[in-house]
Each structure stands twice: as C-alpha cells, then as structure tokens.
Amino acid sequence: MVQESRFNVIALTSAENLQKNIQNVLYRITQEAINNAIKHAHSTEITIIVTNHNSYLQLEILDNGIGFDLEQHSRFNGHSLGLMNMNERVKAYNGAFTITSKINKGTTVKVKFPYNNLNKDTVRTNV
C-alpha cells in the first residue's frame, strides 16, 4: 500500500534568472529530498520553500517523517550516498548545505547559494 503525501510549495522568488547549473542543483536537491522523505521517512507532508535574502537564495525542504540519526549518516555507511551527493553538488557551486533531523519529528534540508556565485558557470574543483 502506497502512502499519500501532501505537498506545500512556497516560492517567494523565481529561479528564472539563475544560472542553469544552479537551477539544476536546486532541482536535484529537491528531487532527492522528496524521494528520501517518501521512501525512507514515510512522510505525509512535505513543504518546499524558496526565498531570497539580501545576500543569498535559500531552498528548504521540510518533512514530517520519522527522522533519522544524523551522526549515524554523517559519513558514508552504504546507505547515505544520496545525502553525500546533495552536499557535494551544493558545495561545488560554493553553496551551503545543512540537514537537521529529529527522530519522530521530521527532517529539514537547507541549501543556500550566495548571490555573488549564482551567475558563475564555473564549478569548484577542490570540494
């Protein structure tokens, strides 16, 4: 039996003017976070928030799932490859990536890209 999830999307800015590589990273992070929330966390509600601030653009994906122990998944353990890939994708474009999770309280994935890097096509190679 497949459990249904409710989605809330709050977009207080547009990604239209962002460089295509940054748009792609935001899309992939959102895709992976939603997949994790449905597949692993058994979330019934997922909220996606995109906002712009004075010096950065922020993406947040929040779920009400079962959460997980961050320390257990902070290094490669054969199961957290998606989390590692999200972190590497964001850091490749000088962004900040954070995850907060509490058992039985859900998970929040947060990505920030400073505006001074949003239009650059180059990827950092020393991630």
Side-chain angles (χ1 to χ4, degrees):
M1 183 174 165
V2 176
Q3 182 174 343
E4 290 187 27
S5 294
R6 177 179 171 193
F7 289 88
N8 304 301
V9 178
I10 303 166
L12 302 176
T13 189
S14 171
E16 281 180 1
N17 296 325
L18 296 179
Q19 192 270 332
K20 294 294 182 196
N21 289 339
I22 299 293
Q23 288 182 26
N24 187 48
V25 169
L26 293 171
Y27 172 77
R28 294 291 180 201
I29 298 297
T30 303
Q31 182 181 42
E32 182 70 22
I34 290 171
N35 183 57
N36 288 346
I38 293 170
K39 184 177 177 182
H40 302 296
H42 311 291
S43 300
T44 58
E45 187 167 3
I46 300 166
T47 301
I48 301 161
I49 304 169
V50 182
T51 54
N52 60 350
H53 301 271
N54 288 335
S55 60
Y56 61 91
L57 176 101
Q58 179 170 284
L59 166 69
E60 289 181 275
I61 303 103
L62 304 90
D63 72 59
N64 70 342
I66 62 172
F68 64 95
D69 181 347
L70 280 170
E71 190 170 317
Q72 181 182 354
H73 289 78
S74 65
R75 37 193 191 286
F76 181 69
N77 60 11
H79 303 289
S80 55
L81 190 56
L83 299 177
M84 290 175 57
N85 285 341
M86 286 194 281
N87 186 34
E88 289 175 6
R89 283 178 188 260
V90 172
K91 288 189 175 189
Y93 289 96
N94 300 312
F97 177 79
T98 57
I99 296 178
T100 55
S101 188
K102 293 187 180 181
I103 303 298
N104 298 319
K105 299 284 184 183
T107 300
T108 299
V109 173
K110 190 180 293 186
V111 175
K112 292 181 181 180
F113 283 110
Y115 283 130
N116 60 353
N117 292 323
L118 292 180
N119 294 317
K120 293 183 180 176
D121 234 352
T122 57
V123 176
R124 262 182 32 195
T125 55
N126 59 347
V127 177

